[in-house]
Amino acid sequence: MKTITMMAVTLILLFAVAATALSQATVVSVRGDVQVRRGAEESWRPLAVGDVVKPEDSMLSGKRASAVLSVGGTRLTLPEMVIVDCADLRVLTQEELLLKLAMEGIRALPQQKRGSEPTIPRTTTVHGGASDELAAPAGADGTQRSALQLNGTKVLHAHGFYATMVLRAKEVLRLAPELRRRSDVRLLVADAFERMRLSSEALAEYRSLDKERLTPAERSLVERKIAELRKKQKG
């Protein structure tokens, strides 16, 4: 991305500051060590049945732990070893996703290439304000924290939060490039694009995966998806 028109920047800024009303979730059951971090707090606290979690909260599950929450009348299962930011439990439109992806692309540019471009706010809510630091449980290093959040993106995908799954996965992979080989998550990103009927974006994602080291099953899937999407585009 070499240049950005002022109109595009204005639209991005307006969209970024617009608040999206998110419904809260109620904890239905808890098994094992599941914790919550409230708002801008730094500490994690045990999550209990009946607790209400809000968009500004984050949830963390330990080994062999799980929780079930009621979100907007539906049940969401939190499996073991994940971090899920409650702000991601929302559905975005195609247009909202594409706009936020453009913002993510801006942030991915090296600083020297941004020149005098205006500072663009973050796409996703992070505790403590505008920071590139991701939520981390006590004792976890950066890679462990990022891996837990990537695990959390699988929860988002499984429950139909495809847009926020894509955004969260891309953000984590940008901040933790050492996890770029997580083909399991990247395949879900491509699938999420498909489910949102964004064929061009899905094709680009599969093509990027085609250059990586994959298992035979993953390689077969990627090649098949690329062929299907290219045929669809030509049709």
Side-chain angles (χ1 to χ4, degrees):
M1 186 181 301
K2 298 181 179 179
T3 61
I4 303 174
T5 66
M6 288 306 298
M7 180 178 293
V9 171
T10 301
L11 287 173
I12 291 173
L13 289 170
L14 288 174
F15 190 90
V17 299
T20 303
L22 303 175
S23 61
Q24 57 191 20
T26 302
V27 180
V28 177
S29 67
V30 177
R31 180 173 66 87
D33 182 21
V34 183
Q35 302 178 47
V36 61
R37 191 174 74 169
R38 303 289 187 182
E41 292 181 359
E42 295 299 325
S43 60
W44 294 84
R45 302 179 181 182
L47 190 68
V49 173
D51 282 354
V52 173
V53 292
K54 299 179 180 180
E56 61 269 22
D57 299 337
S58 295
M59 296 177 293
L60 161 69
S61 60
K63 291 183 178 179
R64 296 181 293 279
S66 64
V68 176
L69 299 94
S70 177
V71 184
T74 62
R75 295 295 179 94
L76 180 145
T77 300
L78 195 73
E80 67 173 351
M81 301 299 291
V82 301
I83 289 178
V84 172
D85 286 358
C86 298
D88 289 337
L89 304 180
R90 56 175 170 165
V91 176
L92 303 179
T93 65
Q94 279 189 357
E95 292 74 17
E96 289 170 332
L97 173 58
L98 291 174
L99 184 53
K100 287 179 178 289
L101 282 174
M103 294 162 60
E104 182 67 22
I106 294 171
R107 274 188 299 278
L109 289 174
Q111 187 63 39
Q112 62 269 25
K113 292 185 179 181
R114 300 185 191 183
S116 58
E117 295 171 0
T119 300
I120 307 299
R122 294 170 53 76
T123 58
T124 50
T125 300
V126 174
H127 296 280
S131 167
D132 273 349
E133 289 298 322
L134 298 176
D141 63 23
T143 300
Q144 291 173 327
R145 167 191 62 203
S146 299
L148 290 173
Q149 283 217 330
L150 284 183
N151 292 344
T153 65
K154 294 183 177 183
V155 177
L156 299 176
H157 184 279
H159 291 84
F161 300 108
Y162 301 122
T164 52
M165 181 272 166
V166 169
L167 293 169
R168 181 60 67 182
K170 286 187 171 293
E171 179 190 46
V172 175
L173 292 174
R174 172 173 63 85
L175 297 176
E178 68 273 15
L179 295 176
R180 286 283 301 172
R181 292 189 180 276
R182 282 287 300 268
S183 55
D184 56 335
V185 172
R186 293 177 62 189
L187 282 168
L188 287 182
V189 168
D191 180 75
F193 277 131
E194 281 196 87
R195 290 174 183 271
M196 294 195 70
R197 300 182 181 179
L198 293 171
S199 299
S200 296
E201 287 73 13
L203 180 58
E205 201 69 36
Y206 284 123
R207 281 174 169 165
S208 70
L209 274 164
D210 196 35
K211 302 174 184 177
E212 302 291 344
R213 184 180 302 171
L214 304 173
T215 66
E218 289 174 336
R219 175 71 60 192
S220 176
L221 172 63
V222 167
E223 291 176 351
R224 176 170 59 83
K225 287 293 187 178
I226 290 175
E228 290 176 355
L229 288 168
R230 290 180 65 181
K231 183 178 180 179
K232 183 183 295 186
Q233 285 188 340
K234 291 179 180 180

